[in-house]
């Protein structure tokens, strides 16, 4: 990327003209470079991501793996960052073509012909911009780093997307099981209402107890509707993530969502070092530092002279009667620019120090997220064990009451109450198991195991 002379700069230019015939090898070299760079630009448009080539057609309910593969092809959540990579590649292609200096054609025709017996009252100039190949080289390297940063940012988006999609599948499985338990609670409440109405006819209970039983049934029915609505909301969210409308709800296979999403991942085998090595955020920060080092070098290249060349005809105002095209080359070196180049070097070095501090902050932030994820995993495991113990107690109590009811020692309303308590404890176990699975999924995402299952990140 060449730099135009700053207005007001004092510049030194040296030129030497060559006959047109001698300039042909240089022009052939320029054309050869143009063909090579064109091929390089075409290669730069090749796709860099994705995972495995699979057809989009899916027979039957879609499991988590199939949903991931379809999302990698068409999800609007992923195509935005993918298009950013295309823009970075175009910038990289521009930097490649900058090795060939831009030039323009300038023609002049003199309406008042000079009185020097000239038979050509016009001039033709092929003019180039100033050219600094060293600066162009470092500019290209910087563009390559920016493209790599765009790819890593896209991978980070995919990683976060996979975690959200996995959580959606886990929540759907938990909701399906909660709805089944809640429907059983409705049946228990219906039995309680029928029992209360029978006792009311015989004078065993008051109308207030019947109203309480009916209120319990209504609340159980409303809770069922609430869970079904939550399930529909999650289905719509997953469809939207995959690029489908709310009316195009996909049939999802969530019978074994936990096995699909978590696979055989063992959170005990993941470490902080795995998270650091797999962190796209830290790798992007390293590339930012590398890019800034190149910017420092690029700032120094502004002190180098730039090349100038061009092709022009003989000036009709000149007394020289020789005709033809003449090729000229020269150098341009600014002598004074108000210390702008010197200040730019200091500025780029200061930005480099800022990136070094920012990199340390990113590492600390990753360590904190890892520690928080591990604590949440431990807390959710403890809460799950507690809920399972409470469920065990509720099962024993319900069994004891059921035996007493069958022996005629306990009424139905006592048994129904213990069964509702048991069903509630089972729902609590499902809720705590969901939180534990989410914690495991977060660890899997941080360690990089989740995205490596579906996307080959080795080249990046």
């Amino acid at each position: 990327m060449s730099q135009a002379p700053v207005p007001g700069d004092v510049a030194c230019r040296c030129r030497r003209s060559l006959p047109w015939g001698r300039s042909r090898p240089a022009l052939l070299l320029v054309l050869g470079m143009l063909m090579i760079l064109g091929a390089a630009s075409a290669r730069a448009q090749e796709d860099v991501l994705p995972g495995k080539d699979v057809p989009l057609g899916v027979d039957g309910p879609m499991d988590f793996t199939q949903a991931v593969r379809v999302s990698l092809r068409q999800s609007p959540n992923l195509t935005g960052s993918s298009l950013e990579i295309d823009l970075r590649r175009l910038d990289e292609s521009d930097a490649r073509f900058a090795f060939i200096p831009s030039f323009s054609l300038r023609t002049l025709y003199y309406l008042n012909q000079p009185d020097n017996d000239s038979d050509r009252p016009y001039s033709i100039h092929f003019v180039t911009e100033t050219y600094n190949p060293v600066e162009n080289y470092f500019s290209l390297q910087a563009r390559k780093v920016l493209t790599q940063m765009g790819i890593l940012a896209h991978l980070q988006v995919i990683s976060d997307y996979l975690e959200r999609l996995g959580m959606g599948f886990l929540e759907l499985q938990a909701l399906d099981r909660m709805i089944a338990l809640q429907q059983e609670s409705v049946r228990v409440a219906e039995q309680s209402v029928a029992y209360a109405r029978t006792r009311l006819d015989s004078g065993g209970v008051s109308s207030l107890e019947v109203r309480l039983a009916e209120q319990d049934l209504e609340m159980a029915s409303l809770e069922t509707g609430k869970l079904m609505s939550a399930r529909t909301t999650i289905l719509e969210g997953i469809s939207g993530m995959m690029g489908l409308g709310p009316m195009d709800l996909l049939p999802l296979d969530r019978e074994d969502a936990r096995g699909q999403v978590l696979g055989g991942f063992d959170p005990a085998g993941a470490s902080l070092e795995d998270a650091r090595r797999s962190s796209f955020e830290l790798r992007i920060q390293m590339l930012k530092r590398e890019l800034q080092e190149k910017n420092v070098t690029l700032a120094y290249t502004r002190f180098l002279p730039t090349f100038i060349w061009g092709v022009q005809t003989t000036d009709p105002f000149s007394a020289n009667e020789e005709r033809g095209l003449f090729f000229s080359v020269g150098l341009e070196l600014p002598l004074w620019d108000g210390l702008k180049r010197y200040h730019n070097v200091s500025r780029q070095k200061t930005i480099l120090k800022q990136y070094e501090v920012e990199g340390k902050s990113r590492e600390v932030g990753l360590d904190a997220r890892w520690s928080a994820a591990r604590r949440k995993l431990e807390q959710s495991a403890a809460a799950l064990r507690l809920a399972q113990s409470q469920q065990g107690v509720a099962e024993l109590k319900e069994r004891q009451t059921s035996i007493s009811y069958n022996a005629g020692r306990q009424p139905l309303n006592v048994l129904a109450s213990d069964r509702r308590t048991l069903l509630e404890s089972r729902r609590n176990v499902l809720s705590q198991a969901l939180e534990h699975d989410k914690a495991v999924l977060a660890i899997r995402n941080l360690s990089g195991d989740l995205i490596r299952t579906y996307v080959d990140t080795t080249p990046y």
Side-chain angles (χ1 to χ4, degrees):
M1 186 170 55
S2 58
Q3 180 188 25
V6 179
D9 283 358
V10 179
C12 169
R13 300 194 181 192
C14 303
R15 295 177 181 265
R16 183 179 179 182
S17 299
L18 298 175
W20 168 250
R22 299 180 185 178
S23 65
R24 289 181 181 176
L27 292 179
L28 292 176
L29 177 62
V30 170
L31 292 176
M33 291 176 61
L34 183 61
M35 295 176 62
I36 294 174
L37 291 174
S41 175
R43 288 194 299 271
Q45 300 304 317
E46 296 176 359
D47 195 8
V48 291
L49 286 180
K52 307 169 183 178
D53 294 329
V54 289
L56 295 184
V58 178
D59 296 330
M62 184 182 298
D63 61 14
F64 180 70
T65 300
Q66 293 168 330
V68 168
R69 293 175 180 175
V70 172
S71 297
L72 291 175
R73 302 292 186 92
Q74 68 182 38
S75 172
N77 295 270
L78 304 179
T79 53
S81 55
S82 177
L83 292 174
E84 181 66 24
I85 298 176
D86 294 339
L87 294 176
R88 300 284 180 90
R89 284 171 170 165
L90 289 175
D91 293 338
E92 185 178 333
S93 178
D94 290 340
R96 283 193 174 92
F97 278 103
F99 279 97
I100 302 177
S102 59
F103 58 91
S104 58
L105 173 65
R106 180 186 302 166
T107 62
L108 295 174
Y109 183 83
Y110 300 95
L111 299 178
N112 297 328
Q113 301 181 9
D115 188 14
N116 58 357
D117 296 330
S118 174
D119 58 349
R120 292 191 310 172
Y122 62 86
S123 64
I124 300 176
H125 293 229
F126 288 94
V127 184
T128 67
E129 300 292 339
T130 55
Y131 179 64
N132 188 337
V134 178
E135 179 182 355
N136 291 341
Y137 171 78
F138 284 102
S139 178
L140 175 59
Q141 299 304 312
R143 293 296 181 181
K144 289 181 178 180
V145 174
L146 285 172
T147 301
Q148 187 68 15
M149 289 171 60
I151 293 174
L152 292 177
H154 182 50
L155 289 173
Q156 180 65 61
V157 172
I158 293 177
S159 180
D160 295 339
Y161 176 90
L162 294 180
E163 183 178 5
R164 295 198 307 271
L165 184 63
M167 287 188 177
F169 267 76
L170 293 175
E171 290 173 353
L172 283 177
Q173 182 186 37
L175 282 173
D176 287 342
R177 295 177 179 178
M178 288 182 182
I179 290 173
L181 290 176
Q182 188 60 32
Q183 289 174 343
E184 188 173 348
S185 296
V186 171
R187 288 192 293 270
V188 172
E190 290 173 345
Q191 292 175 358
S192 297
V193 170
Y195 176 75
R197 288 174 178 172
T198 302
R199 293 286 305 277
L200 178 64
D201 295 338
S202 62
V205 298
S206 64
S207 60
L208 179 60
E209 293 183 32
V210 175
R211 290 174 56 189
L212 287 174
E214 292 174 345
Q215 191 69 26
D216 288 339
L217 174 59
E218 182 180 358
M219 292 176 61
S221 300
L222 291 175
E223 183 65 21
T224 304
K226 178 182 176 182
L227 293 175
M228 289 182 174
S229 177
R231 182 176 60 183
T232 303
T233 300
I234 295 176
L235 282 171
E236 291 178 351
I238 291 178
S239 297
M241 290 173 61
M242 296 176 63
L244 303 175
M247 303 303 295
D248 302 321
L249 297 182
L250 292 173
L252 300 178
D253 178 14
R254 62 259 194 172
E255 182 63 28
D256 185 28
R258 186 181 188 279
Q260 298 173 23
V261 174
L262 302 181
F265 176 72
D266 181 13
S271 64
L272 177 59
E273 292 302 321
D274 295 332
R276 288 176 176 174
R277 285 193 300 267
S278 304
S279 175
F280 298 116
E281 184 181 9
L282 294 185
R283 291 160 67 182
I284 290 174
Q285 192 63 35
M286 292 174 60
L287 288 177
K288 288 174 66 176
R289 187 179 184 280
E290 179 183 347
L291 175 63
Q292 191 55 33
E293 289 175 348
K294 296 183 183 299
N295 286 336
V296 172
T297 305
L298 193 60
Y300 278 112
T301 63
R302 304 292 170 82
F303 290 93
L304 298 176
T306 56
F307 295 95
I308 305 172
W309 58 60
V311 179
Q312 67 183 65
T313 59
T314 306
D315 190 347
F317 289 99
S318 173
N320 187 359
E321 297 181 357
E322 185 177 355
R323 297 291 181 265
L325 295 175
F326 295 88
F327 183 72
S328 62
V329 295
L331 297 174
E332 178 177 323
L333 177 63
L335 300 179
W336 172 253
D337 61 353
L339 298 178
K340 292 180 180 179
R341 290 171 294 172
Y342 174 78
H343 289 160
N344 187 46
V345 171
S346 300
R347 181 182 301 108
Q348 299 304 325
K349 288 183 176 180
T350 302
I351 295 176
L352 177 60
K353 293 179 181 179
Q354 289 179 333
Y355 285 160
E356 291 174 349
V357 175
E358 183 179 338
K360 295 179 181 178
S361 176
R362 300 285 186 186
E363 291 180 0
V364 173
L366 176 63
D367 294 351
R369 290 198 302 274
W370 178 263
S371 298
R374 298 298 303 190
R375 284 196 304 271
K376 185 176 181 180
L377 179 64
E378 295 172 358
Q379 294 170 357
S380 61
L384 177 59
R385 290 193 297 269
L386 177 60
Q388 290 171 341
S389 298
Q390 293 173 344
Q391 177 182 329
V393 173
E395 288 176 349
L396 292 175
K397 188 175 181 180
E398 190 271 343
R399 186 181 307 170
Q400 183 182 25
T401 305
S402 178
I403 294 173
S404 299
Y405 172 76
N406 293 331
R409 295 192 300 269
Q410 292 286 357
L412 180 62
N413 60 339
V414 175
L415 176 61
S417 177
D418 287 346
R419 283 182 176 175
R420 284 196 297 268
T421 302
L422 175 58
L423 293 173
E424 185 63 30
S425 66
R426 288 176 178 173
R427 280 191 56 183
N428 188 35
V429 169
L430 288 176
S431 178
Q432 297 302 329
L434 174 61
E435 293 301 317
H436 181 263
D437 290 343
K438 287 183 177 180
V440 174
L441 179 59
I443 294 288
R444 189 184 185 193
N445 184 36
L446 281 175
S447 66
D449 181 79
L450 180 61
I451 188 172
R452 285 194 299 267
T453 304
Y454 303 99
V455 179
D456 184 12
T457 62
T458 305
Y460 314 112

